[in-house]
Amino acid sequence: MLDRSGQTPQPATIHLKDYQPPAYLVDAVDLHFALDEQCTTATARLALRRNPARADAPPLRLDGQDLELVSLRLDGRALAPHEYRVEEEALEIPAAPEQCTLEVVTRTRPAENTALEGLYASGGNLCTQCEAEGFRRITYYPDRPDVMARYTVTLSAERARYPVLLANGNLVAQGEERDGTHWARWEDPFPKPSYLFALVAGDLVRIEDRYTTASGREVALHIYVQAHNADKCEHAMASLKQAMRWDEEVFGREYDLDVYMIVAVDDFNMGAMENKGLNIFNSKYVLARPDTATDRDYEGIQGVIGHEYFHNWSGNRVTCRDWFQLSLKEGLTVFRDQQFSGDMNSRAVKRIDDVTLLRTHQFAEDAGPMAHPVRPQSYIEINNFYTVTVYEKGAEVVRMIHTLLGPERFRRGMDLYFERHDGQAVTTDDFVQAMQDASEVDLSQFRRWYDQAGTPVLRVQGAYDAPARRYTLAVEQHTPPTPDQPDKQPLHIPLALGLVGPDGQDLPLRLQGEAAGQGTRRVVDVRAARETFVFEDVPAEPIPSLLRGYSAPVRLDYDYTDEALAFLLAHDSDPFARWEAGQQLAVRLIMARVVAPQAQDGAEVLAAAYGRLLEDSAADPAFAARALALPSEEYLAQLIPYRDLEHVDPEALHGARHAVKLALATALAERWQAVYEACGATGPYRYVAADAGQRSLRAQCLSYLVARGGRDGVTLAWRQFREADNMTDSLAALAQLVHTEAPERDQALAAFYARWQDDSLVLDKWFALQAGSERPDTLAQVRALLEHPAFSLRNPNKVRALIGTFCHRNPLRFHDVSGEGYAFLREQVLQLAPRNPQVAARLVSAFNQWRHYDAPRQALMRAELERILSAPALPKDVHEIAGKALGNGAGDAGAGSSS
């Protein structure tokens, strides 16, 4: 429906302050499905009772969307049309009794469901995605997380087409009918909200294993995939067993059903979904073989498998009361999967990777129109709040609690949280309260992290008094204003630090007033706008090592000299602080080139530091690979406002970064070559930390060798591509060739496609590499690839690989001053919006930072946003993002959030 101006009317905003408990509770759900991709009939029998928490006694109102209502019976009696009302997205029964059984029969058409929410078809199979509000596309129901019920589900389908029938819980009965159909009944003994409901029907093969829990229970482990992918599940199964054991040992959490199932599907809007006992995964996060998956893919699979498994307790057994509390399950579970991945691999490297993601994407979100707290105050479309703020910053908030409490007290807090709230839908306040009660640590001020948007800045100054052997740190905190939240209150910030002496060793730390020191690393509590910390008995002037382990998600402002940063890069005992020192050195050098592109000096300190890293790289190649990588252009762009520059110039940033890389490549040419060759002999592929580290370092060296220009680097990359026996080395070489004008580029792309044209996931890599190319003809290539037979707008992975990579990961070409990249994005968003609003909304967010660019680019991006908003029947997902990007008041975020 359009308003009088011809535009989509402003969608309604939902506010946290308006939360009300549900009018009715559901004790049990009995679902019967007659499954077919053209038309599925669902019969739902709901045991309902009025919620005693609602004194106002509102009518029974059920959510529903895109449903055909076939029949409606209340306590066995068919309702007459005047006894109920069907609205566009709801069914209301005004005179429902206090307790009743409601039977609802609906029809849906899975094959036509391109939004991939609710019940839909993928590759000839049927599956569901119900988080956040997809269950209402299956049947009429109070589709909210604080309505928890026990489900019994019976699936019926043609056996030849759908030999596998799966739902949540344990299989309790199955059978066959004479007409060629068969059926299966599943019962989930644990109450759950509707967003955790799942079913799968299709022609799939099962990979089986078993796991014995700590208490001696046998659990069947099943992974379901299409037959041609059966040989790609070994790593996923091993990761699942590792996650189950780790959660028992670290958090005391044991699995609670007889079977744990994972199903891989090709068409999925997200990465995976933690439906109770039946996880549905984007196949990207299940399928791996050395020749088809990179080390990053293996690591990603391990982390996502762990993440969804850990949700069994942090999200399923204890769930969120409402969607404003989304980080209660997601932030907590991201923290848990980060800890798991750190224990399985290199904790230091994992921390660096997590911080890189946070600072590149979440900090940018905090600095833009979608800035919102970890617990938002309002939303228009909940799918837009599956953000890096809710997930990654939410995980950092949990990590800070872990830092403040320490491992033992944090574990006590987790135990109390699960014990106190098992089987309940709760809030972030309940989580923090459990932590406070178990530890007796006052977290009242700390709670502001959940409700205050923006990235705090810590400004630190140090002063050494040699005669008094005293070192003083003065700390100021300030959080810049964000939309709808101009005034910020001081936060409780854990600042981990050390003092590094002239010999490179950590000095003992004793705060003024303490009787004895507390080691060489400690955490100080920054609570006020200004704090002073005085350390006694400091024998020599130190260099402070600040924010060790990245103890808080803040920007640090300390006036290090280049020499001090190089010293920390060489000597700091904290891996994150070492890496960060190198990043700061590189940022300074690149930004200096942005201001003065012709400058030729200043690289000596960084080159010397990189040279030392290369000499010592064999000790920890994975760390060296990260430390030798220059900051990305996306990260550099969001630093511009903090460097007193007027606007982001993508071409200048790219040129400055390239100039610095060329200087390093030239100055250390022989060392890059030597380390590259030394890393080449890892033997047959194994995904183990040591080998993966060597391959990562080898790829980093190759990038510098190619950056020098000329034939030598291209020849080396071409040789590596041809000789590679694993996807990691093959893709690393192709990733360098794709930026060049050399004939080997097209030869390698053609050879890659010829080999992998029948593997959809591998082709996603092929699309993404071309979309991320620095070549001037990249947009033309991307447009041509839209017509490629292997590309489909219906598949989110393909859209993310090609369109998403170009618009979100290729700032040089997307932000071409012609504006052609902006027009391209608008075209794709408007094509996708009616088909898959979730994916379209994520694409349009590439415009969120438009105000940070120069006037011509600002005008071009603004015009495209206005064209998007003027489109008829624009889904609210897209309307919310585009409207907020423009800052026209679309989707008022309420107190504390502009999101």
Side-chain angles (χ1 to χ4, degrees):
M1 181 181 294
L2 306 182
D3 62 19
R4 292 181 179 179
S5 69
Q7 295 187 354
T8 304
Q10 172 66 43
T13 301
I14 299 170
H15 295 269
L16 172 59
K17 63 182 175 60
D18 296 332
Y19 170 82
Q20 290 286 332
Y24 278 78
L25 301 176
V26 184
D27 292 319
V29 182
D30 191 346
L31 287 166
H32 288 247
F33 289 90
L35 295 166
D36 184 85
E37 69 173 21
Q38 298 305 320
C39 182
T40 286
T41 301
T43 301
R45 293 183 183 88
L46 313 179
L48 295 154
R49 59 184 169 89
R50 188 174 292 282
N51 187 356
R54 289 293 296 270
D56 53 339
L60 173 60
R61 187 174 177 85
L62 309 178
D63 301 299
Q65 188 174 349
D66 298 329
L67 298 173
E68 176 189 345
L69 180 61
V70 178
S71 67
L72 197 60
R73 302 177 71 86
L74 186 65
D75 290 331
R77 180 180 64 83
L79 293 182
H82 71 275
E83 294 181 282
Y84 63 92
R85 181 168 58 252
V86 177
E87 302 174 6
E88 185 176 356
E89 295 189 5
L91 166 67
E92 187 172 286
I93 304 175
E98 298 288 302
Q99 190 164 339
C100 59
T101 298
L102 181 69
E103 181 182 285
V104 186
V105 181
T106 54
R107 291 196 189 102
T108 58
R109 288 164 176 76
E112 300 174 13
N113 183 1
T114 60
L116 311 186
E117 296 179 89
L119 177 65
Y120 66 93
S122 173
N125 301 308
L126 297 176
C127 63
T128 57
Q129 170 55 32
C130 293
E131 187 178 359
E133 296 177 339
F135 193 72
R136 64 190 61 188
R137 292 172 176 261
I138 295 173
T139 188
Y140 286 102
Y141 192 82
D143 189 15
R144 45 189 291 168
D146 55 354
V147 175
M148 302 178 71
R150 287 181 171 84
Y151 284 67
T152 300
V153 180
T154 303
L155 310 175
S156 175
E158 182 183 343
R159 184 177 183 85
R161 293 181 61 193
Y162 306 106
V164 171
L165 301 174
L166 308 174
N168 306 89
N170 298 317
L171 180 65
V172 295
Q174 58 186 326
E176 298 191 28
E177 305 294 345
R178 293 182 179 179
D179 61 355
T181 63
H182 70 137
W183 59 272
R185 182 169 298 123
W186 295 79
E187 288 185 357
D188 188 348
F190 297 94
K192 64 175 178 284
S194 53
Y195 83 85
L196 290 174
F197 169 80
L199 73 79
V200 172
D203 188 4
L204 303 165
V205 297
R206 185 169 78 191
I207 290 82
E208 300 183 37
D209 207 333
R210 300 194 71 79
Y211 178 80
T212 303
T213 69
S215 66
R217 291 180 54 251
E218 284 286 320
V219 178
L221 308 180
H222 297 164
I223 297 179
Y224 291 87
V225 296
Q226 293 176 309
H228 63 274
N229 289 321
D231 63 340
K232 299 177 184 175
C233 300
E234 181 180 352
H235 178 64
M237 186 66 82
S239 298
L240 174 58
K241 294 166 75 173
Q242 288 172 332
M244 296 176 82
R245 182 65 65 203
W246 183 89
D247 210 18
E248 290 176 343
E249 294 174 349
V250 177
F251 284 100
R253 299 297 108 191
E254 187 173 299
Y255 187 61
D256 48 16
L257 292 171
D258 297 336
V259 60
Y260 188 90
M261 298 174 286
I262 290 173
V263 180
V265 298
D266 288 337
D267 303 292
F268 205 68
N269 284 338
M270 302 182 183
M273 179 58 207
E274 71 268 18
N275 319 293
K276 180 71 178 181
L278 177 58
N279 291 182
I280 299 177
F281 272 64
N282 187 322
S283 54
K284 172 183 174 68
Y285 292 106
V286 173
L287 307 178
R289 207 174 57 202
D291 58 334
T292 64
T294 65
D295 290 331
R296 286 282 187 167
D297 294 329
Y298 274 81
E299 181 183 356
I301 289 168
Q302 185 182 59
V304 175
I305 291 278
H307 180 95
E308 305 309 331
Y309 175 76
F310 301 145
H311 264 312
N312 187 59
W313 278 92
S314 52
N316 296 2
R317 290 283 288 262
V318 183
T319 195
C320 48
R321 185 196 71 179
D322 53 72
W323 290 120
F324 299 100
Q325 319 296 329
L326 180 58
S327 196
L328 175 78
K329 73 183 186 75
E330 295 301 348
L332 175 57
T333 306
V334 169
F335 169 76
R336 276 155 51 74
D337 83 53
Q338 289 174 350
Q339 295 291 93
F340 166 67
S341 295
D343 283 347
M344 296 300 105
N345 303 285
S346 164
R347 182 165 295 278
V349 169
K350 175 61 177 168
R351 188 64 183 139
I352 289 168
D353 290 347
D354 292 338
V355 173
T356 299
L357 172 66
L358 180 86
R359 298 200 306 193
T360 301
H361 301 293
Q362 195 281 320
F363 279 18
E365 190 165 86
D366 263 349
M370 277 293 290
H372 59 276
V374 171
R375 178 170 59 186
Q377 298 299 304
S378 69
Y379 62 80
I380 289 175
E381 171 52 62
I382 184 56
N383 287 326
N384 288 337
F385 281 85
Y386 285 74
T387 63
V388 282
T389 297
V390 167
Y391 278 65
E392 273 68 32
K393 186 174 181 179
E396 293 299 316
V397 172
V398 175
R399 184 178 297 275
M400 286 189 287
I401 295 175
H402 185 274
T403 299
L404 290 168
L405 271 57
E408 293 183 5
R409 289 187 295 186
F410 183 84
R411 169 63 190 272
R412 290 203 299 270
M414 289 292 293
D415 288 346
L416 178 61
Y417 171 67
F418 290 132
E419 177 186 342
R420 182 180 283 177
H421 299 297
D422 190 9
Q424 298 178 12
V426 298
T427 69
T428 56
D429 287 327
D430 294 317
F431 173 74
V432 178
Q433 191 63 50
M435 287 292 167
Q436 180 168 302
D437 291 348
S439 66
E440 298 183 349
V441 173
D442 181 9
L443 296 174
S444 54
Q445 182 184 357
F446 183 85
R447 294 170 191 257
R448 292 175 185 168
W449 279 102
Y450 281 103
D451 295 313
Q452 187 161 285
T455 303
V457 178
L458 279 188
R459 294 188 174 92
V460 184
Q461 292 180 315
Y464 181 62
D465 183 343
R469 293 165 55 93
R470 182 179 297 132
Y471 186 78
T472 301
L473 279 177
V475 182
E476 295 183 8
Q477 63 163 298
H478 166 70
T479 304
T482 53
D484 296 320
Q485 201 179 55
D487 300 316
K488 307 292 184 179
Q489 295 178 300
L491 297 164
H492 182 179
I493 301 173
L495 174 59
L497 57 87
L499 299 179
V500 184
D503 60 354
Q505 300 298 308
D506 285 350
L507 299 175
L509 299 177
R510 183 171 70 85
L511 278 172
Q512 192 174 51
E514 291 180 341
Q518 297 184 18
T520 58
R521 178 192 184 276
R522 70 176 300 156
V523 177
V524 297
D525 294 295
V526 180
R527 296 176 180 268
R530 294 174 179 81
E531 300 263 17
T532 301
F533 303 96
V534 180
F535 295 93
E536 303 279 13
D537 297 327
V538 181
E541 183 171 6
I543 297 175
S545 171
L546 302 171
L547 213 60
R548 284 186 160 181
Y550 202 62
S551 59
V554 302
R555 294 185 186 276
L556 178 66
D557 182 356
Y558 182 90
D559 190 19
Y560 287 109
T561 65
D562 288 353
E563 291 71 22
L565 290 173
F567 185 82
L568 290 175
L569 178 58
H571 300 291
D572 203 313
S573 62
D574 183 84
F576 171 81
R578 284 188 66 201
W579 171 80
E580 173 63 358
Q583 292 290 290
Q584 288 192 47
L585 268 178
V587 166
R588 286 185 182 181
L589 189 55
I590 294 168
M591 290 302 185
R593 297 291 177 97
V594 171
V595 175
Q598 304 306 316
Q600 297 297 318
D601 57 351
E604 297 82 6
V605 174
L606 187 60
Y610 275 25
R612 288 190 293 270
L613 281 170
L614 285 167
E615 289 176 3
D616 300 334
S617 60
D620 191 346
F623 172 80
R626 270 62 170 187
L628 292 164
L630 294 175
S632 69
E633 289 171 38
E634 298 99 312
Y635 176 65
L636 292 165
Q638 49 126 330
L639 293 179
I640 291 294
Y642 299 91
R643 298 284 164 166
D644 297 324
L645 298 173
E646 291 184 6
H647 57 255
V648 177
D649 183 336
E651 292 177 353
L653 266 183
H654 176 79
R657 185 179 184 277
H658 178 73
V660 170
K661 189 164 188 176
L662 176 60
L664 295 169
T666 303
L668 302 170
E670 293 182 2
R671 296 186 191 181
W672 295 120
Q673 183 73 40
V675 175
Y676 173 83
E677 292 173 357
C679 289
T682 58
Y685 181 91
R686 301 176 303 158
Y687 177 66
V688 295
D691 289 3
Q694 279 195 253
R695 286 186 289 266
S696 178
L697 180 56
R698 190 179 192 226
Q700 195 63 259
C701 292
L702 180 63
S703 75
Y704 281 97
L705 291 167
V706 174
R708 292 184 65 199
R711 290 291 308 166
D712 290 348
V714 169
T715 300
L716 199 61
W718 176 234
R719 186 184 73 189
Q720 177 173 315
F721 176 79
R722 287 183 290 111
E723 296 177 356
D725 65 352
N726 62 82
M727 181 57 70
T728 304
D729 287 340
S730 175
L731 208 68
L734 186 55
Q736 298 307 316
L737 290 171
V738 77
H739 300 298
T740 73
E741 303 289 341
E744 289 89 343
R745 173 192 188 271
D746 293 337
Q747 295 174 44
L749 286 169
F752 192 91
Y753 178 76
R755 181 175 181 186
W756 299 113
Q757 58 186 303
D758 296 324
D759 192 311
S760 178
L761 284 180
V762 177
L763 283 188
D764 290 343
K765 306 177 192 300
W766 185 76
F767 283 118
L769 284 178
Q770 294 175 81
S773 173
E774 298 170 357
R775 286 167 45 124
D777 63 347
T778 295
L779 180 54
Q781 293 288 328
V782 169
R783 287 191 176 277
L785 288 169
L786 288 175
E787 307 302 321
H788 195 282
F791 180 81
S792 171
L793 272 177
R794 284 185 62 116
N795 182 269
N797 283 353
K798 293 289 181 290
V799 172
R800 286 186 283 262
L802 185 62
I803 303 170
T805 297
F806 177 76
C807 299
H808 287 263
R809 304 282 189 249
N810 193 343
L812 176 66
R813 296 308 169 198
F814 174 64
H815 290 290
D816 186 86
V817 73
S818 67
E820 291 180 1
Y822 308 149
F824 170 76
L825 176 56
R826 181 251 306 158
E827 294 166 10
Q828 303 312 311
V829 167
L830 293 182
Q831 276 201 71
L832 274 164
R835 305 181 190 190
N836 192 323
Q838 275 193 54
V839 173
R842 283 172 170 79
L843 285 178
V844 81
S845 65
F847 286 137
N848 282 355
Q849 303 291 322
W850 67 275
R851 295 178 188 274
H852 294 185
Y853 290 81
D854 56 71
R857 288 184 173 91
Q858 282 192 30
L860 290 165
M861 281 189 269
R862 182 184 181 93
E864 299 300 353
L865 281 166
E866 290 171 343
R867 291 187 180 103
I868 289 171
L869 277 174
S870 68
L874 193 68
K876 61 183 180 179
D877 312 51
V878 180
H879 192 287
E880 181 173 26
I881 302 295
K884 287 175 182 175
L886 272 178
N888 62 3
D892 172 31
S897 172
S898 69
S899 46

